[in-house]
Amino acid sequence: MLRLVGSILQVARTNMIFHLLVATLTLELLPLVCARAEGSGITICTMNEVTMPSAKQHYEWLTANKRYGPDVANGFLQDSRADGDKFLEYQIIYLPEFPGGSGWFDINGLSGFFEANSHNVKKWQCDGAEYYPMAVLFGLEPKAFQNGTLYVSPKRGLQTAISLNTPSAANKVIEVRVSETDKLICQDLTVENTTEKGCSHPGSYFK
């Protein structure tokens, strides 16, 4: 019996050490991701690890919220029907200018970020109009912003806000492509109220 207890304790200690190593490596590697992105024409304003709500949970939250209510919730239900949970897990929100306090509130509310379980990896550092235009990405890791094209990689559980105020944005048209395959998912991120789904909810492009 004592040997069995000793074996159990040894396994527990080994598992604990393993998880601590994984957590440490994760925290050490994420700043490297920031550095690579910033060295590729991107300024990362903030970064969070997130677990997004399901489409059903977000629908219920919108329905119960006095600011939004059933009409907004039903609109979300219709828009998200094809992609389900991916509708929230993969998002691109383009901000040509500072949206104001209430604008940021709606971005966080309508995107599901308020409901998400989140862990901040990089604190916010982009106060000021000079950081706009800006993009908020869910499930997409920014890789580079070059020649008017934003390159991203799918990374579920990652949320970032990035400044796009660089010489690469001077031509006013911003494409979005998958870094690994060069696949075009958005022809022009700057188009207001675009019907191009890849420019706002590109979940259908990813497994």
Side-chain angles (χ1 to χ4, degrees), residues 32-164:
L32 294 178
V33 172
C34 297
R36 284 199 299 271
E38 290 171 353
S40 301
I42 296 174
T43 297
I44 294 184
C45 298
T46 189
M47 178 181 286
N48 297 283
E49 294 174 321
V50 295
T51 301
M52 298 299 289
S54 67
K56 181 177 183 295
Q57 289 170 332
H58 188 51
Y59 169 78
E60 292 172 349
W61 184 87
L62 289 171
T63 301
N65 190 285
K66 293 181 179 180
R67 184 177 179 89
Y68 305 117
D71 288 344
V72 173
N74 288 331
F76 163 77
L77 187 65
Q78 185 69 28
D79 292 341
S80 64
R81 193 177 302 278
D83 291 338
D85 293 347
K86 285 185 179 181
F87 191 81
L88 295 176
E89 291 171 343
Y90 298 97
Q91 299 182 64
I92 305 174
I93 302 169
Y94 177 73
L95 304 173
E97 58 189 17
F98 176 61
S102 62
W104 269 116
F105 184 92
D106 284 333
I107 289 167
N108 291 330
L110 296 174
S111 69
F113 185 65
F114 275 150
E115 306 151 74
N117 292 323
S118 63
H119 169 69
N120 181 250
V121 176
K122 183 172 185 176
K123 292 182 179 180
W124 181 266
Q125 62 171 36
C126 292
D127 290 325
E130 66 271 18
Y131 290 101
Y132 291 83
M134 187 178 291
V136 181
L137 309 176
F138 289 84
L140 300 169
E141 180 183 353
K143 290 294 189 179
F145 186 37
Q146 300 169 346
N147 301 320
T149 300
L150 174 63
Y151 294 92
V152 299
S153 291
K155 191 166 186 179
R156 188 179 300 180
L158 184 70
Q159 186 259 12
T160 58
I162 60 175
S163 172
L164 298 175

Side-chain angles (χ1 to χ4, degrees), residues 145-195:
F145 186 37
Q146 300 169 346
N147 301 320
T149 300
L150 174 63
Y151 294 92
V152 299
S153 291
K155 191 166 186 179
R156 188 179 300 180
L158 184 70
Q159 186 259 12
T160 58
I162 60 175
S163 172
L164 298 175
N165 188 11
T166 72
S168 188
N171 61 2
K172 304 301 182 183
V173 174
I174 300 177
E175 290 184 345
V176 182
R177 292 181 178 270
V178 179
S179 179
E180 292 80 3
T181 63
D182 202 40
K183 183 178 181 63
L184 179 69
I185 61 175
C186 174
Q187 291 185 346
D188 187 1
L189 193 60
T190 69
V191 175
E192 188 175 357
N193 298 321
T194 179
T195 58

